[in-house]
Amino acid sequence: MAALGAARCLFRSYSRVKNVQKSKHMLVKCGARTLCSGTQDTALSDDAKPQFTDPAVQDVLTRITGLDLQKVFRPIKQELKPPTYKLMTDEQLEQATELATEQAKKLLKMPPVLQERKPVNDVLSVDKILEGMDTAKYVFTDITYNIPHRERFIVVREPDGTLRKANWEERDRLIQVYFPKEGRKLTAPLIFKEENLKMVFSQDRHEDVLDLCLVQFEPDSSEYIRVHTATYEDLDKHGKYELLRSTRHFGGMAWYLLNARRVDGLLVDMLKKELLQDAVSLVSLFHMVHPHSESAQEAASQQATGTDLLKVYAQKESQRSGYIELALQAYEQMDAKSSAA
């Protein structure tokens, strides 16, 4: 009789879960925003600050990313197939180049940059009568196809009788079970462990790490942010910015360094490669992100542009002002010689 009573209680608890799903005022319709969109809340306090998705920001990041068709369409490891040769007129070649440029722009579309999602610690009920009924957890998942994964209702019944919402790790794993995403594993590959990342970075495979990270993790997960941060830090430490130039990850790296106010290394790299306009764009974006910095205020008062903008940044903000000023002097001398000729 005791077992029968416990079984009835378990059935009633499961019925309450179904009723919660159907309720107009519960999580699926309304609470989904509080459960699954924690990334939106943290942005409300910084409305005045430019965001990664702003058109002006995207325009600058896209320009400084570069568009090297040889790099975008470089060979990748895949099944070998016989090459295809085509005879083209000059007009057809020009059209094919324009088509390749448009395809390259799509391939260079930057991944999203989001705030880390808030932890899920919501308890729906505690039924002590179910305590000890089993040693395993029971998971109830709504597998309806037309529901966005972020609004999908998933709850867990603990062995102690607690009924709670699934945490993010559980949600990601269960969604992958019922709705598999190509390339994503139920358990994260060992490459993402800190000691393995160092080895991969030593082989200059930063882009491969970021590509795999995009497939394996959600863009607002803690692991996604950790891997990206570690990759950007290694690139900045060793000055290997060229590894991400003309890839979809360059804009994210530049945005990370801009927010950390550590663009000196990237700026110097641009000047070394004679990418003066990219350097000017980078400093302009720095002033957009940090409008109250001494450099931004001085540039606004002088209405500085071009090399004058870089000089203001070097004097007021940069910790490597000497090198930037020397690079600008060399550029101005070369420009003067070419003008005289």
Side-chain angles (χ1 to χ4, degrees):
M1 292 297 291
L4 179 60
R8 288 176 177 172
C9 185
L10 179 61
F11 178 79
R12 287 197 300 271
S13 300
Y14 176 67
S15 298
R16 287 203 297 272
V17 174
K18 295 182 68 176
N19 291 336
V20 168
Q21 280 185 282
K22 295 178 180 179
S23 174
K24 294 181 180 179
H25 306 290
M26 288 300 286
L27 298 164
V28 173
K29 294 295 184 182
C30 303
R33 295 295 182 264
T34 60
L35 169 66
C36 304
S37 60
T39 57
Q40 300 175 2
D41 300 334
T42 55
L44 296 178
S45 59
D46 291 331
D47 287 339
K49 182 180 178 180
Q51 301 298 313
F52 181 77
T53 53
D54 290 352
V57 172
Q58 287 288 304
D59 179 62
V60 174
L61 293 177
T62 300
R63 278 191 278 116
I64 68 176
T65 293
L67 184 62
D68 184 354
L69 295 181
Q70 296 294 330
K71 187 170 185 177
V72 174
F73 294 109
R74 66 189 182 281
I76 58 176
K77 293 182 179 180
Q78 57 183 356
E79 182 183 355
L80 292 177
K81 295 180 180 179
T84 301
Y85 298 95
K86 294 182 180 180
L87 295 177
M88 295 183 176
T89 64
D90 290 343
E91 182 179 357
Q92 290 174 328
L93 178 61
E94 184 178 351
Q95 293 175 351
T97 303
E98 291 178 357
L99 179 62
T101 301
E102 291 302 316
Q103 292 176 342
K105 289 179 179 179
K106 293 179 181 179
L107 292 174
L108 291 179
K109 184 178 180 180
M110 287 172 273
V113 175
L114 304 173
Q115 296 290 334
E116 183 177 348
R117 55 197 181 187
K118 294 182 179 180
V120 179
N121 299 310
D122 295 347
V123 174
L124 300 179
S125 68
V126 178
D127 299 302
K128 289 297 182 181
I129 193 172
L130 298 178
E131 185 174 0
M133 281 287 296
D134 206 331
T135 57
K137 300 177 183 179
Y138 285 86
V139 182
F140 302 92
T141 306
D142 183 352
I143 59 173
T144 307
Y145 280 97
N146 62 351
I147 296 179
H149 290 330
R150 284 303 177 96
E151 299 181 7
R152 194 170 298 282
F153 195 69
I154 305 176
V155 295
V156 178
R157 173 71 75 179
E158 296 281 358
D160 65 357
T162 300
L163 183 67
R164 60 172 177 81
K165 296 177 185 176
N167 59 40
W168 287 115
E169 182 182 353
E170 293 165 338
R171 290 182 63 86
D172 291 343
R173 187 169 64 251
L174 288 164
I175 289 173
Q176 178 64 15
V177 169
Y178 291 110
F179 306 94
K181 182 177 181 180
E182 185 179 358
R184 179 172 292 187
K185 309 296 183 183
L186 286 176
T187 303
L190 296 177
I191 190 177
F192 294 120
K193 289 186 176 295
E194 185 175 355
E195 59 272 18
N196 296 333
L197 282 176
K198 293 179 180 179
M199 181 184 67
V200 177
F201 291 159
S202 68
Q203 301 171 359
D204 292 345
R205 295 176 57 194
H206 300 71
E207 184 184 1
D208 293 336
V209 170
L210 295 178
D211 285 338
L212 185 58
C213 184
L214 283 175
V215 176
Q216 182 62 38
F217 303 116
E218 293 299 311
D220 58 353
S221 68
S222 59
E223 284 297 288
Y224 180 98
I225 295 172
R226 179 186 66 82
V227 173
H228 276 71
T229 299
T231 306
Y232 298 152
E233 288 289 346
D234 187 81
L235 289 166
D236 187 48
K237 179 180 179 181
H238 298 97
K240 297 181 178 180
Y241 311 104
E242 188 65 24
L243 293 176
L244 293 189
R245 187 169 274 112
S246 284
T247 73
R248 55 180 172 170
H249 305 293
F250 188 87
M253 178 190 66
W255 182 251
Y256 172 82
L257 296 174
L258 281 164
N259 280 277
R261 301 184 72 153
R262 288 165 41 201
V263 297
D264 283 5
L266 181 56
L267 186 62
V268 168
D269 182 76
M270 290 175 172
L271 292 175
K272 282 183 178 179
K273 293 177 170 56
E274 299 182 359
L275 301 173
L276 181 70
Q277 191 54 51
D278 286 355
V280 172
S281 298
L282 182 66
V283 172
S284 299
L285 186 54
F286 178 89
H287 291 163
M288 289 173 57
V289 177
H290 305 287
H292 302 298
S293 65
E294 189 176 357
S295 173
Q297 294 178 352
E298 182 68 20
S301 64
Q302 295 183 17
Q303 296 184 343
T305 58
T307 56
D308 292 334
L309 185 65
L310 297 179
K311 290 178 181 178
V312 170
Y313 174 84
Q315 294 170 0
K316 300 296 183 181
E317 185 73 29
S318 177
Q319 297 180 357
R320 304 175 68 176
S321 57
Y323 184 88
I324 294 176
E325 290 173 352
L326 287 174
L328 289 174
Q329 289 176 9
Y331 175 82
E332 289 175 343
Q333 291 174 359
M334 291 177 59
D335 188 51
K337 289 181 181 178
S338 61
S339 300

